Amino acid sequence: MVMDINEIREYLPHRYPFLLVDRVTQLTTGESIVAYKNVSINEPFFNGHFPHHPIMPGVLVIEALAQVCGILGFKTVNKLPADGYVYYLVGSDKVRFKRPVMPGDKLTLEADVIRGKRGIWKFACRATVDGELACEAEIICAERKVA
């Protein structure tokens, strides 16, 4: 299953400059997702992180991984933000950064379901650039109904 930016926007409530997923290339509901983010020098965070050596902040790499987890979660339970639901990032474990993510990189984002129970999901995640590991983490998300 492939999702372009228009469909991604149906499954994520995030918008510029905080939407960090450009395309989903593979998705198996209840199992896994592969997506990517094209990292551009035009990203607003590069103005301050760091002006003479731009690096994507690690917390935003984690956020990008959490966003693909949200897409996988929404697709799995067949719900949408428009239905009044949101996925919150509620935890991260075993986070390790292995290489910086820089302008021009295509950041591949992968998540596999470890388990899901009563709206709490745990995922094994990896972010890579050209097949080289940039970040790995276990991410926990919680599905919630909002008013």
Side-chain angles (χ1 to χ4, degrees), residues 112-117 120-124 138-141:
D112 297 304
V113 173
I114 296 173
R115 69 178 166 271
K117 187 175 183 179
I120 305 292
W121 295 82
K122 187 171 189 176
F123 303 89
E138 290 182 355
I139 292 180
I140 304 163
C141 296

Side-chain angles (χ1 to χ4, degrees), residues 58 69 76 91 93 100 104:
C69 293
T76 297
D93 296 314

